[in-house]
Amino acid sequence: GQQVMQIPQYQHVQEGEDFTTYCNSSTTLSNIQWYKQRPGGHPVFLIQLVKSGEVKKQKRLTFQFGEAKKNSSLHITATQTTDVGTYFCAGSAYGGSQGNLIFGKGTKLSVKP
Amino acid sequence: NAGVTQTPKFRILKIGQSMTLQCTQDMNHNYMYWYRQDPGMGLKLIYYSVGAGITDKGEVPNGYNVSRSTTEDFPLRLELAAPSQTSVYFCASRPILAGRYQETQYFGPGTRLLVL
């Protein structure tokens, strides 16, 4: 079945350093979404990428969708303590069951002040 | 709008007990989902529903049952609780169409379940 792999599993950074998490799908995706989950919280939608090669920015966050629509990345510039949490990618396959999302296992980011 | 609400927030069950996790959304969303999240793991889909009266299995349905009698409510039933069902359970919903974000899911706060 469809799988979404996400690396790294953990990332510890010093405040001010950059951070990147990568997401790879075993199948071509119709779209990919990114969610953030704060410790003890629930996943919160960040962004959706739909087009091949698409790049979107939200302040210090940059999201990319690969040309083949099978991989994606999230890059955070100059991390802050408020960036702490787990970042999940979630893909929806073409012809997938009712547009259901397959979630990666997430990258847990910790930021040392 | 309250969004997606879940009750209870936390529950301890003994092996073999049963319980229902409640989920309600007030956004008139057609699609609703139940996920479980184990420590260090992503979200795994248990069941989903595309509208009142229609439910279907996800990736990990064994040991669970659902019903969808109204658009708003999507309860998850555990009949014979087992330690393997210790997890955090999230309910989510989405509309059929939401402009650019057609498949964005809105999550509830979660129910933390411990089976001993």
Side-chain angles (χ1 to χ4, degrees), chain A residues 1 8 13 23-24 35 37 46 61 64 66 72 78 80 95 97:
Chain A
V13 301
C23 188
N24 286 287
Y35 291 78
Q37 184 178 24
L46 292 176
L61 278 62
Q64 292 187 331
S72 181
Q80 300 175 358
S97 183

Side-chain angles (χ1 to χ4, degrees), chain A residues 29 31-32 49-54 64-67 69 71:
Chain A
L29 301 171
N31 71 84
I32 194 158
L49 303 171
V50 178
K51 298 177 182 177
S52 170
E54 190 169 13
Q64 292 187 331
F65 200 11
E67 293 290 341
K69 301 185 75 173
N71 59 75

Side-chain angles (χ1 to χ4, degrees), chain A residues 9-10 30-31 33 35 37 40-43 45 47-48 50 56 88 92 97-101 103-105, chain B residues 31 33 35 37 40-43 45 48 50 56 59 90 94 100-110 112:
Chain A
Q9 189 173 359
Y10 302 97
S30 66
N31 71 84
Q33 301 178 26
Y35 291 78
Q37 184 178 24
H42 60 277
F45 173 79
I47 208 159
Q48 177 178 266
V50 178
K56 288 188 177 180
F88 293 98
S92 180
S97 183
Q98 302 293 340
N100 291 347
L101 295 174
F103 282 82
K105 292 186 178 180
Chain B
Y31 288 76
Y33 306 84
Y35 295 91
Q37 183 178 37
M41 302 293 285
L43 295 154
L45 183 63
Y48 67 98
V50 303
D56 207 346
E59 183 184 357
F90 288 102
R94 73 171 176 92
R100 296 175 64 192
Y101 304 112
Q102 294 189 16
E103 291 159 20
T104 303
Q105 295 186 15
Y106 299 83
F107 285 81
R112 194 171 298 270

